[in-house]
Amino acid sequence: MLKQLFVTVGLTFCLAVAAQNNVTGYVYVDNNGQFDKKETGLAGVAVSNGKDIVLTDKNGLYQLPVSNDNIIFVIKPSGYQFKMNQYNQSGFYYIHKPQGSPTSSKYKGVAPTPALPKNLNFALSQQNEPVDFSVLVFGDPQPYNEQELSYFAKSIVDDVRTGNHVKFGISLGDIVGDNLDLHLPYKEIMTKLKLPWYNVMGNHDMNYEATTDSLSDETFERNFGPNNYSWNYGNTHFIILDNILYPDPRDGKGYWGGLRPDQIEFLRNDLALVDKNKLVVISFHIPFSNEGGDAIRLEDRQAMFDLLKNFDNCLLMSAHTHFQKQIYYKTSDGWQGKSQALHEYNVGTTSGDWYSGELDAAGIPDGTMRDGTPRGYAFLNIQNNKYNLRYKVAGKDSAYQIRIYAPKIVARNSRGAAPFYANFFMGSEKDLVEYKFDNGKWAEMLRDSTFDYTYLDMVTRWDETTTLLQGRRPSAPVATGHLWSAPVNKKLAPGKHTIYVRVKDVYGNIHEEQQSYIIQ
């Protein structure tokens, strides 16, 4: 009898978890703070439960299936906006979790939610949305404690200067470093930017006690809402994806890059509603480039590629690596799209090399990344359905895009190589990098895959010093994909000479830098 009772209770619990019904409501244009007969329902607006997507009817009415763990959200149409909360987060979603999050997690998840209302309505207001605008992009703030959070606030947030052209921002995951209690002070700091803000979940934003991937985001949901969603702005469609499988489905340990079947289904349903002439921007945390050979489940990458192949204009954005890289997927990678290559921008991080390096006069660590990219953030600039990208080094003028490493003095006509290097922080195989000496002729530099020697010098200082340096030793350098080299001219007359470097980037922008050396 007791055994029978356990079976019955267990079955009842399973049925409760699996229970599914429908949610209905209206998406409408709000004029007075509540939905009434004077309000106008919006037809053709997409509403999702995180997998399925339906369109509102002519009256703005939608109906969706829901289970006991769904976030219902509206895919914002262009020309409209949701009300923002005190943290400049959009009110586009509703969490439906009647049983709440598991209580076994170290960090709080979502409290049990009340029964669904008869109509779950979403209010929008009209706004002017230009097709030409900019987006502020942060990679991995990743503070592990309050002190590192203050580094982020002082050196990154306080450094940002935006005009009316910047409409919102995106953080590409690892918002914090395992300490999920820092999510709230992070949100408070971000309000200084006075911009609507969207957040990707990173592998350091997860609930590590989770036994299934679908429960790894409980605290993230509490603090930021869904981690798979989309919206429209101007002529661009934005998508956020959580591409971290945790625990790793192969052995239950650690994490693996990839997408669950329900996420791929959401992506399929979402893209099916997007005009093929729009720019599609997909943001996630782990690069799909499979760095290290086993970082990503390749069949999931291929599924995404197949869903994007009929779009002319696409951009992928990631972070995670703590260096900066331009990745171009070609047919050899499985890309079969209309465009010659699919571009992924692996964005440099706001935490740099995890807040390592010597402290400056203000007590802020240098944080230069292992590929020699200084700590900073990026701007995604959109013109109709095209884009260009620009990196901003924290604490430097926006024109600072190249760093030259060269000998300070060389012997005239001496034998032996004396190369100099130019690190163009946003560089790729598609950029033209040239150099000249004094008033000489321009010549092309060669792309080099070695270390950035400026960064190597920063690291070796920690080994050569006989007195303790203030800060934390940087990580070992890695070969960079945005370094160019050329030989120093040692045949010129004795005296001071200038090396000039200029870059014509893939977007047609010209960047210049110079550095002097002496011939003796």
Side-chain angles (χ1 to χ4, degrees):
M1 182 67 182
L2 187 59
K3 181 177 180 181
Q4 176 72 33
L5 178 62
F6 281 152
V7 171
T8 303
V9 171
L11 180 60
T12 303
F13 178 76
C14 290
L15 288 174
V17 171
Q20 180 167 303
N21 49 32
N22 291 326
V23 59
T24 62
Y26 291 87
V27 179
Y28 65 99
V29 180
D30 183 36
N31 295 316
N32 57 12
Q34 61 182 9
F35 185 46
D36 56 35
K37 293 180 180 180
K38 297 180 181 179
E39 311 285 9
T40 303
L42 282 174
V45 176
V47 187
S48 179
N49 58 15
K51 176 183 176 183
D52 307 298
I53 299 176
V54 298
L55 296 177
T56 56
D57 68 12
K58 64 180 181 180
N59 298 312
L61 179 68
Y62 73 90
Q63 180 173 296
L64 267 170
V66 292
S67 66
N68 283 335
D69 188 0
N70 278 120
I71 299 183
I72 300 97
F73 61 89
V74 174
I75 298 173
K76 187 191 82 65
S78 295
Y80 293 88
Q81 65 179 340
F82 286 97
K83 185 177 180 180
M84 296 290 164
N85 66 14
Q86 61 182 318
Y87 301 111
N88 292 329
Q89 293 174 303
S90 173
F92 69 99
Y93 65 90
Y94 179 89
I95 298 177
H96 174 60
K97 201 183 291 280
Q99 295 175 347
S101 298
T103 58
S104 57
S105 293
K106 178 180 179 180
Y107 297 100
K108 285 185 179 180
V110 177
T113 56
L116 284 168
K118 181 180 179 181
N119 287 320
L120 179 60
N121 300 327
F122 292 92
L124 286 162
S125 59
Q126 290 183 298
Q127 70 173 352
N128 177 42
E129 291 186 1
V131 295
D132 296 357
F133 62 98
S134 295
V135 180
L136 182 58
V137 184
F138 284 0
D140 294 44
Q142 204 171 342
Y144 283 84
N145 49 53
E146 292 282 355
Q147 183 180 53
E148 291 183 348
L149 190 62
S150 73
Y151 293 156
F152 168 71
K154 294 175 183 177
S155 61
I156 297 296
V157 174
D158 290 353
D159 185 71
V160 171
R161 298 291 181 271
T162 60
N164 294 331
H165 204 249
V166 177
K167 300 303 181 182
F168 54 86
I170 300 174
S171 287
L172 294 169
D174 283 359
I175 294 164
V176 299
D178 299 333
N179 181 358
L180 306 191
D181 285 339
L182 294 177
H183 277 165
L184 179 58
Y186 158 84
K187 292 197 297 183
E188 292 170 342
I189 287 168
M190 294 297 285
T191 61
K192 295 179 181 180
L193 294 174
K194 298 181 180 179
L195 287 173
W197 207 268
Y198 301 90
N199 295 282
V200 175
M201 190 175 85
N203 55 288
H204 290 282
D205 297 310
M206 300 189 302
N207 295 99
Y208 291 138
E209 299 85 358
T211 55
T212 63
D213 185 48
S214 62
L215 295 176
S216 65
D217 61 349
E218 297 298 300
T219 301
F220 185 92
E221 286 183 356
R222 172 189 174 92
N223 293 320
F224 301 104
N227 56 5
N228 300 282
Y229 58 99
S230 61
W231 73 97
N232 297 280
Y233 193 100
N235 202 26
T236 304
H237 185 69
F238 293 89
I239 302 172
I240 299 286
L241 292 175
D242 161 24
N243 72 336
I244 306 152
L245 300 172
Y246 180 86
D248 187 327
R250 296 170 295 184
D251 59 9
K253 301 175 182 178
Y255 62 87
W256 196 19
L259 300 169
R260 299 188 308 266
D262 61 291
Q263 293 176 285
I264 294 172
E265 187 65 21
F266 166 70
L267 189 60
R268 177 181 291 108
N269 294 334
D270 179 75
L271 290 172
L273 300 173
V274 179
D275 188 317
K276 298 297 188 294
N277 292 316
K278 280 195 173 187
L279 170 63
V280 176
V281 178
I282 305 182
S283 298
F284 40 85
H285 184 61
I286 299 176
F288 273 100
S289 59
N290 216 33
E291 291 288 345
D294 194 29
I296 287 289
R297 189 161 63 184
L298 291 177
E299 54 263 42
D300 300 341
R301 183 179 81 176
Q302 190 60 55
M304 182 178 67
F305 284 2
D306 292 344
L307 292 171
L308 289 172
K309 67 181 181 181
N310 292 321
F311 289 87
D312 289 328
N313 306 296
C314 302
L315 171 66
L316 310 179
M317 295 197 300
S318 60
H320 183 62
T321 61
H322 294 260
F323 50 76
Q324 186 153 257
K325 190 174 184 179
Q326 309 295 338
I327 304 159
Y328 293 94
Y329 299 105
K330 304 178 178 65
T331 55
S332 58
D333 303 304
W335 172 245
Q336 301 293 332
K338 291 183 177 181
S339 57
Q340 202 171 34
L342 175 63
H343 181 200
E344 179 180 337
Y345 173 32
N346 186 217
V347 183
T349 58
T350 54
S351 59
D353 182 58
W354 297 275
Y355 300 105
S356 69
E358 293 185 63
L359 305 184
D360 64 14
I364 307 294
D366 175 87
T368 297
M369 286 169 264
R370 294 166 291 161
D371 65 340
T373 303
R375 203 155 55 88
Y377 47 92
F379 289 94
L380 166 61
N381 303 306
I382 294 172
Q383 302 87 34
N384 193 15
N385 62 356
K386 305 295 182 184
Y387 69 89
N388 66 72
L389 294 156
R390 190 177 184 92
Y391 189 68
K392 169 66 171 66
V393 175
K396 297 286 187 179
D397 186 273
S398 61
Y400 181 55
Q401 299 290 316
I402 306 164
R403 184 175 56 227
I404 298 172
Y405 181 91
K408 294 180 175 59
I409 187 168
V410 296
R412 188 168 186 260
N413 292 326
S414 58
R415 296 177 60 188
F420 73 94
Y421 299 88
N423 189 338
F424 173 43
F425 310 131
M426 286 289 287
S428 78
E429 62 198 54
K430 296 181 178 291
D431 302 309
L432 174 63
V433 181
E434 297 177 300
Y435 73 102
K436 71 175 183 177
F437 298 100
D438 301 333
N439 296 318
K441 294 181 178 180
W442 290 102
E444 189 171 347
M445 297 185 74
L446 296 177
R447 195 157 169 246
D448 202 319
S449 60
T450 189
F451 304 125
D452 180 289
Y453 283 91
T454 301
Y455 181 75
L456 186 61
D457 282 351
M458 293 178 183
V459 177
T460 55
R461 270 181 54 79
W462 291 78
D463 299 323
E464 295 173 352
T465 182
T466 57
T467 58
L468 288 177
L469 302 177
Q470 295 299 305
R472 182 168 56 81
R473 188 183 193 278
S475 303
V478 296
T480 175
H482 43 83
L483 195 70
W484 282 258
S485 65
V488 169
N489 189 338
K490 296 184 285 186
K491 297 179 180 180
L492 300 173
K496 186 177 181 180
H497 298 275
T498 303
I499 301 168
Y500 294 92
V501 173
R502 72 178 179 190
V503 174
K504 183 177 182 180
D505 68 23
V506 65
Y507 310 113
N509 300 311
I510 303 297
H511 311 280
E512 297 181 330
E513 192 60 68
Q514 65 185 61
Q515 187 162 315
S516 298
Y517 71 107
I518 294 171
I519 295 178
Q520 186 171 301

